[in-house]
Amino acid sequence: MNKEDLRIVFMGTPEFAVETLKALVENQYRVVAVVTQPDKPVGRHGSVLQPSAVKQYALEQGLPVLQPEKMKDPAFVEQLRAYRANLQVVVAFRMLPEVVWAMPEYGTFNVHAALLPQYRGAAPINWAVINGETETGVTTFFLDHDIDTGRIIEQMPFAIPDEADVEYVYDGLMHLGARICLSTLGKIIASGGHPETVSQDNCHPSSVTLQLKPAPKIFKETCQIDWTQPAKRVYDFVRGLSPYPGAWTTLVDENGRETVLKVFRTTKTQEAAQGGAGSLVVRGRHLLVSCADGLLQVDELQLAGKKRMDAQAFLNGMKDIGKYSVRQV
């Protein structure tokens, strides 16, 4: 089999997926169509439709774009079948029905931003950082009936520095995802369409006793900081949500009035906690918060309705900060 023998349908939506689609195009793979989410209403009244990042790139390259509301829609399925793809590549898209993923001769493989079977789900990059992992990676696997459980084709690791936030890891995995996609395509071509794979049950030496960590979708309530946790846990939680969607807490004054405060960057200290969890400590130009086992320095934050700022700018505008605390969950 040669590269020219592949007719590929690419499926993806966000910026993360664009890098892989770009790699396919620039390496002269035949992408016969691109499937992405419908345009999203934006603006105050939802009157403006915003195309996905994948759609924007696909149109720039003159690629056909399909945007089904429902993946099982018979009209869409027939339209997809008409492209006669023998392979589908999926990056950061949505769950596919069997009628779609089983359609191509050589199957459908997904580029997942984690080392499966760990971090199956919608937000693997965030949860790896939140959980304080020192390593994550990317995995290609063939889709099957369940979410992120198919047979693994290839994996590539990626180190997570202790000071890295989710933006750093996202960017690194975005580029690594493009690399593993090309490598996986090479394996598919070399094997005549049927590369060697391994079951996720057997891909780790300790898989019998391996405790799986999920990566569910993140909602606003997921992002609330629990100051009763150890400082290292709060530190990892903040960087695992920075810069988006952002960890948040509630600032409470002496009269019980509340204001939402987002926290984007913190620094660990070796200092013991002062007061109960959530107590604020001001030391010169530094703002610290007591956690379960010590003080955590808050470096960048944002009050509701204000711009993101450093701690000094925040303190300059909060002359009576001693009257405040942050609420525990």
Side-chain angles (χ1 to χ4, degrees):
M1 179 189 294
N2 297 313
K3 180 188 296 187
E4 294 74 21
D5 297 321
L6 290 179
R7 293 177 58 85
I8 298 172
V9 165
F10 181 86
M11 301 184 182
T13 295
E15 176 195 17
F16 188 91
V18 173
E19 193 68 23
T20 300
L21 177 57
K22 182 179 178 183
L24 294 177
V25 171
E26 293 183 351
N27 284 273
Q28 287 79 52
Y29 280 95
R30 189 189 303 179
V31 179
V32 297
V34 171
V35 182
T36 191
Q37 295 277 38
D39 294 358
K40 185 178 180 180
V42 295
R44 186 172 182 181
H45 303 291
S47 56
V48 178
L49 293 178
Q50 176 70 39
S52 72
V54 163
K55 179 180 178 180
Q56 292 179 56
Y57 178 79
L59 293 179
E60 289 171 4
Q61 301 302 313
L63 300 173
V65 175
L66 308 180
Q67 296 179 273
E69 291 284 349
K70 296 181 179 180
M71 299 300 291
K72 290 184 179 180
D73 181 353
F76 163 70
V77 172
E78 287 309 308
Q79 188 179 17
L80 184 63
R81 199 184 307 276
Y83 284 100
R84 296 181 293 108
N86 51 19
L87 180 69
Q88 293 176 154
V89 177
V90 181
V91 184
F93 191 47
R94 59 202 278 191
M95 188 172 182
L96 303 181
E98 183 175 2
V99 68
V100 172
W101 59 256
M103 186 183 296
E105 176 185 2
Y106 304 129
T108 300
F109 77 81
N110 186 83
V111 177
H112 186 73
L115 296 176
L116 292 172
Q118 294 291 12
Y119 298 108
R120 294 168 176 160
I125 304 176
N126 297 94
W127 285 108
V129 182
I130 288 171
N131 288 336
E133 303 287 1
T134 58
E135 183 181 74
T136 183
V138 287
T139 301
T140 51
F141 67 96
F142 283 115
L143 296 190
D144 63 11
H145 293 91
D146 298 314
I147 298 177
D148 300 333
T149 60
R151 294 185 66 85
I152 289 174
I153 309 166
E154 190 171 1
Q155 294 187 314
M156 292 181 179
F158 181 83
I160 305 177
D162 184 64
E163 70 278 4
D165 62 16
V166 77
E167 184 175 43
Y168 171 91
V169 182
Y170 179 99
D171 186 67
L173 295 185
M174 179 173 67
H175 291 89
L176 193 61
R179 180 178 154 198
I180 198 174
C181 178
L182 295 178
S183 178
T184 297
L185 288 171
K187 292 177 183 293
I188 290 172
I189 292 168
S191 64
H194 303 286
E196 290 186 8
T197 60
V198 61
S199 167
Q200 291 193 32
D201 293 333
N202 301 321
C203 66
H204 286 269
S206 58
S207 58
V208 175
T209 58
L210 186 68
Q211 182 179 358
L212 296 183
K213 301 173 185 177
K217 187 174 181 179
I218 288 176
F219 299 94
K220 180 181 178 181
E221 55 270 23
T222 312
C223 303
Q224 185 175 9
I225 300 170
D226 181 0
W227 299 101
T228 67
Q229 293 287 315
K232 177 63 165 63
R233 288 284 299 167
V234 178
Y235 171 80
D236 291 334
F237 186 79
V238 169
R239 66 193 183 98
L241 296 167
S242 179
Y244 182 83
W248 62 273
T249 189
T250 303
L251 196 63
V252 185
D253 71 10
E254 60 184 348
N255 298 314
R257 289 190 293 261
E258 300 180 349
T259 305
V260 172
L261 184 72
K262 281 193 172 184
V263 180
F264 296 102
R265 189 165 60 88
T266 63
T267 299
K268 292 175 289 183
T269 77
Q270 299 298 318
E271 301 184 57
Q274 297 183 24
S279 297
L280 299 181
V281 177
V282 178
R283 188 171 297 129
R285 296 177 294 176
H286 300 297
L287 174 66
L288 304 102
V289 184
S290 285
C291 302
D293 60 351
L295 292 176
L296 188 67
Q297 180 175 300
V298 177
D299 299 317
E300 292 186 24
L301 62 169
Q302 181 180 19
L303 278 168
K306 304 292 184 180
K307 293 182 178 180
R308 181 171 169 172
M309 65 187 80
D310 60 27
Q312 182 178 355
F314 172 77
L315 292 173
N316 288 341
M318 299 284 290
K319 301 300 183 182
D320 54 352
I321 189 64
K323 299 178 180 179
Y324 289 81
S325 63
V326 289
R327 189 206 294 160
Q328 302 176 25
V329 173

